[in-house]
Amino acid sequence: QAYRYRPLPVALAHATPTQARRVHAYYIAGIKQPEISRREGVHSSKVSVSIRRGLRNMRRCYDGLFQKE
């Protein structure tokens, strides 16, 4: 059975712009969270929470695609 997939940009669209930017910076560009927080002028905990929530929102894009039948 072939799985349907959704490209990363579609999944990122389920996150807020800030979440998407930080998820991309951390996971795609490989920038460490303290560096993201320094560049954006926010506390590192804000970046951490934003990334976690962004991933949660992105997961909604894939809900139900990989359930066993």
Side-chain angles (χ1 to χ4, degrees):
Q1 166 184 350
Y3 288 109
R4 294 182 305 158
Y5 72 96
R6 295 193 177 130
L8 184 60
V10 174
L12 281 170
H14 282 71
T16 68
T18 298
Q19 292 168 349
R21 181 180 67 247
R22 291 173 179 170
V23 166
H24 185 275
Y26 185 70
Y27 286 103
I28 307 301
I31 302 170
K32 305 269 189 226
Q33 290 182 16
E35 177 62 16
I36 296 168
S37 67
R38 187 192 66 74
R39 289 180 184 188
E40 295 188 5
V42 297
H43 195 274
S44 60
S45 66
K46 295 276 188 192
V47 172
S48 178
V49 169
S50 181
I51 291 171
R52 189 171 58 249
R53 288 179 180 166
L55 292 175
R56 179 196 63 207
N57 289 336
M58 289 171 65
R59 259 186 235 106
R60 292 179 180 151
C61 177
Y62 298 101
D63 281 349
L65 287 182
F66 302 104
Q67 294 177 354
K68 294 182 179 180
E69 295 179 3

